[in-house]
Amino acid sequence: MAHFLTSSSSPAFFSRCPPHRESHRRHTVVQCGTSLSSPRISEPEASPAESSAVIQGGTAPLVQALQSTASQDVACFHFPGHNRGKAAPSSLSKLIGSGAFLHDLPELPELDDLFSPKGVILDAQKRAAQLFGSSKTWFLVNGTTCGIQASVMATCSPGDYLIVPRNCHISVISALVLSGAVPKYIMPEYNPAWDIAGGITPLQVDEAVKELEEDGKRVGAVLVTSPTYHGVCSNVQGIVSVCHPRGIPVIVDEAHGAHFRFHESLPSTAIEQGADLAVQSTHKVLCSLTQSSMLHAAGDLVNVDQVSQCLQVLQSSSPSYLLLSSLDAARDHLSKNTNIFDEPLAIASETKDQLMVIPGISVLDLPCFASDFPAIDQLRITFSASDLQLSGYEADDILYEGHQIVSELVGTRSMTFAVNLGTRVQDVEKLVQSAKHLSEKYFFANSSKPMKENCVCGPLDKIFVHLTPREAFFANKRRVRIEDSLGEICGELICPYPPGIPVLIPGEVVTLDLLSYLMNVKHQGITISGAADVELNSILVCNL
């Protein structure tokens, strides 16, 4: 970060931008010597001081500012060391082009400050808030992970309880470690035929809150994962109606639902359903760069200043303006294309219809769950070839090696394919033809064989918590062989990835069911994340 450029007492600063005079070098971005506060974009009028700071021209203010700054013919004595591409490594420059280096700039005055935005970042975030329907939006450069962490830290003090589904993302566990909050897990509905966990219900949340209240425990917040990786949505509005009368804020991990607001046939967003905080991975179905996300707030139950402070603790002090501008560009792109999801939704619907009639292929839908979940994301296509005697991993290998089809998520009994704005008709036609090939090759060949026994048992059914995640994280540990870990207290996070849902969390007792599940997924080739021993021949347990 070029600190010397932001100091109002620096002679160099005033020599380039005298008080009450418009900088010639930066005239398209801000005016020096005036207020940098930009107006709310939803307000029809603004004060003269506010109007003076609004970016002139264009509808993607941060993108425009980055482009304008990169085009300057200046002698650079600031970071990063590649000096606007002049010293870029040739191998990487050939791979991604010189433009990426030219626009890889630090926190120059005309590019604003992510942690105290008064210019183009503030303008871009306000435009995003208006489009996504929130009262306030923060741009995130450390992914949805830091948004989840900040949301929990801003609502839960050490010792407070966080009510959370046990199939939460790994980022929630790190949030518990950072905040000192205590988890109160809700077990989501689990479908063993698919080895997939669904959402949670308002009744489950109500029961969890009452149980904690009867024990005199303080609930800091409720966190809901909606939609899940497979697209299953929980009844957020119903959960909000349980929590808000008690003054409990609702946080929604909406990483996979950033696109919901942009078509009437898609599920309602968490903010539309009354959630207080919703974190979205703008880089997933939408089109920003990987690692860029948004955190949206609504209502007055959560202190937004506290959220901002937490984000400053968690995010890099040198945020990437490529990531930030990609969020601004994605928002601008959506605002100019009101029917942008018509084609992807039509493609996904037709693809599911064609897959469902293929012998031996099953498609995941709401009837696969007993609970009354309100919706499933139509852009997620999850199908199983279990009736062909193929595991999800086996089927995925065949599709990739034989047909060059890359899935988004592989499970023990299914594969998930994400349809997005870039999905082409020929892509889904290829997927359908490949599924037909699976059926033709394996349906009759395996029909005479006895069905494989479903050895997958729900890994989340019986969880025994002995220490909080924070206590276990900081406890002394020892390494034991995996076969000797039964009954021990797990000291590390063990998580098949994707989908990033922990099977063992620090502080939980290692049970036979959990070990059996882990060995099953390990033998099927899935990557185990979090464990110090990536081969999972041993694990860390807590010394007590």
Side-chain angles (χ1 to χ4, degrees), residues 44-84:
E45 297 180 359
S47 67
E50 289 175 322
S51 298
S52 67
V54 177
I55 308 311
Q56 301 300 315
T59 55
L62 188 50
V63 173
Q64 183 190 6
L66 193 63
Q67 182 180 16
S68 175
T69 304
S71 67
Q72 298 165 355
D73 184 14
V74 293
C76 299
F77 294 92
H78 59 69
F79 300 137
H82 60 68
N83 203 304
R84 305 197 182 192

Side-chain angles (χ1 to χ4, degrees), residues 481-487 494 503-504 510-521 536 539:
R481 295 185 304 171
I482 190 72
E483 57 267 30
D484 296 332
S485 65
L486 189 63
I494 301 179
V503 171
L504 268 172
V510 181
T511 66
L512 183 60
D513 285 346
L514 290 170
L515 281 181
S516 298
Y517 183 87
L518 285 171
M519 291 302 98
N520 182 39
V521 296
L536 211 60
I539 67 170

Side-chain angles (χ1 to χ4, degrees), residues 269-542:
T269 70
I271 292 295
E272 289 169 341
Q273 295 183 69
D276 301 280
L277 294 169
V279 197
Q280 298 177 341
S281 293
T282 321
H283 65 89
K284 292 191 185 299
V285 176
L286 302 183
C287 301
S288 66
L289 293 176
T290 297
Q291 198 177 311
S292 61
S293 296
M294 294 186 192
L295 170 57
H296 305 290
D300 55 8
L301 273 181
V302 177
N303 186 329
V304 294
D305 292 332
Q306 182 72 7
V307 176
S308 295
Q309 292 172 6
C310 292
L311 286 173
Q312 188 165 0
V313 169
L314 295 163
Q315 297 206 91
S316 169
S317 60
S318 301
S320 166
Y321 278 84
L322 292 173
L323 297 180
L324 293 172
S325 62
S326 78
L327 290 167
D328 191 27
R331 187 274 314 157
D332 183 46
H333 183 59
L334 288 166
S335 67
K336 293 176 178 176
N337 297 274
T338 56
N339 299 319
I340 195 168
F341 278 101
D342 284 355
E343 184 175 357
L345 283 165
I347 287 174
S349 177
E350 177 66 19
T351 303
K352 289 180 183 179
D353 288 344
Q354 294 184 38
L355 288 170
M356 285 191 292
V357 298
I358 300 175
I361 299 295
S362 303
V363 178
L364 182 74
D365 206 348
L366 285 178
C368 297
F369 297 94
S371 299
D372 187 22
F373 298 127
I376 191 167
D377 182 8
Q378 298 97 308
L379 293 183
R380 293 294 157 94
I381 301 173
T382 299
F383 76 77
S384 169
S386 295
D387 290 343
L388 304 178
Q389 303 279 37
L390 295 173
S391 71
Y393 303 113
E394 290 169 332
D396 185 69
D397 285 342
I398 295 169
L399 292 185
Y400 175 68
E401 295 171 1
H403 304 274
Q404 290 73 56
I405 291 177
V406 182
S407 64
E408 168 58 31
L409 172 66
V410 187
T412 58
R413 304 182 67 79
S414 66
M415 299 165 288
T416 298
F417 302 85
V419 176
N420 53 49
L421 294 172
T423 303
R424 304 168 300 174
V425 172
Q426 56 263 43
D427 295 330
V428 291
E429 288 177 345
K430 187 176 183 180
L431 175 60
V432 171
Q433 291 302 315
S434 300
K436 290 180 177 178
H437 171 78
L438 285 179
S439 176
E440 292 166 356
K441 184 174 182 179
Y442 294 98
F443 188 71
F444 294 107
N446 293 337
S447 59
S448 60
K449 298 179 182 178
M451 288 292 292
K452 293 179 181 178
E453 182 180 353
N454 181 14
C455 59
V456 178
C457 60
L460 311 179
D461 289 342
K462 297 178 181 179
I463 302 294
F464 301 96
V465 179
H466 193 85
L467 299 174
T468 69
R470 183 179 177 88
E471 290 170 338
F473 183 85
F474 290 106
N476 291 325
K477 303 175 183 70
R478 71 183 189 279
R479 184 183 303 280
V480 300
R481 295 185 304 171
I482 190 72
E483 57 267 30
D484 296 332
S485 65
L486 189 63
E488 298 282 357
I489 299 171
C490 185
E492 58 186 346
L493 194 73
I494 301 179
C495 179
Y497 207 98
I501 296 171
V503 171
L504 268 172
I505 291 172
E508 292 181 348
V509 178
V510 181
T511 66
L512 183 60
D513 285 346
L514 290 170
L515 281 181
S516 298
Y517 183 87
L518 285 171
M519 291 302 98
N520 182 39
V521 296
K522 174 190 173 183
H523 291 323
Q524 296 195 55
I526 195 170
T527 300
I528 304 295
S529 176
D533 181 357
V534 294
E535 298 297 328
L536 211 60
N537 295 316
S538 63
I539 67 170
L540 294 176
V541 298
C542 296

Side-chain angles (χ1 to χ4, degrees), residues 18 24-26 48 53 57 74 126 157 182 186 216 248 270 298 329 337 353 379 418 422 538:
H24 295 294
R25 189 169 73 85
R26 305 178 179 186
V74 293
K126 284 184 173 181
S157 299
V182 181
I186 293 176
I248 300 172
N337 297 274
D353 288 344
L379 293 183
S538 63

Side-chain angles (χ1 to χ4, degrees), residues 47-209:
S47 67
E50 289 175 322
S51 298
S52 67
V54 177
I55 308 311
Q56 301 300 315
T59 55
L62 188 50
V63 173
Q64 183 190 6
L66 193 63
Q67 182 180 16
S68 175
T69 304
S71 67
Q72 298 165 355
D73 184 14
V74 293
C76 299
F77 294 92
H78 59 69
F79 300 137
H82 60 68
N83 203 304
R84 305 197 182 192
K86 301 181 188 69
S90 59
S91 58
L92 187 57
S93 184
K94 290 177 182 177
L95 179 66
I96 65 175
S98 59
F101 290 97
L102 181 64
H103 295 88
D104 182 28
L105 298 174
E107 292 174 286
L108 300 171
E110 56 265 46
L111 296 180
D112 207 0
D113 181 349
L114 179 61
F115 301 116
S116 183
K118 299 180 178 68
V120 289
I121 293 178
L122 180 62
D123 189 6
Q125 291 184 153
K126 284 184 173 181
R127 291 171 187 259
Q130 184 182 49
L131 184 68
F132 285 87
S134 64
S135 59
K136 185 175 180 64
T137 290
W138 294 266
F139 284 2
L140 309 177
V141 294
N142 285 24
T144 293
T145 290
C146 77
I148 294 292
Q149 293 169 339
S151 296
V152 174
M153 291 173 67
T155 54
C156 297
S157 299
D160 287 351
Y161 277 76
L162 178 71
I163 297 174
V164 59
R166 184 53 183 76
N167 62 330
C168 64
H169 188 262
I170 187 174
S171 59
V172 179
I173 309 307
S174 62
L176 292 170
V177 172
L178 290 167
S179 66
V182 181
K184 171 67 173 177
Y185 294 121
I186 293 176
M187 297 302 167
E189 181 183 340
Y190 174 75
N191 186 319
W194 287 85
D195 189 24
I196 288 176
I200 59 174
T201 67
L203 178 60
Q204 288 179 299
V205 173
D206 186 52
E207 291 173 346
V209 172

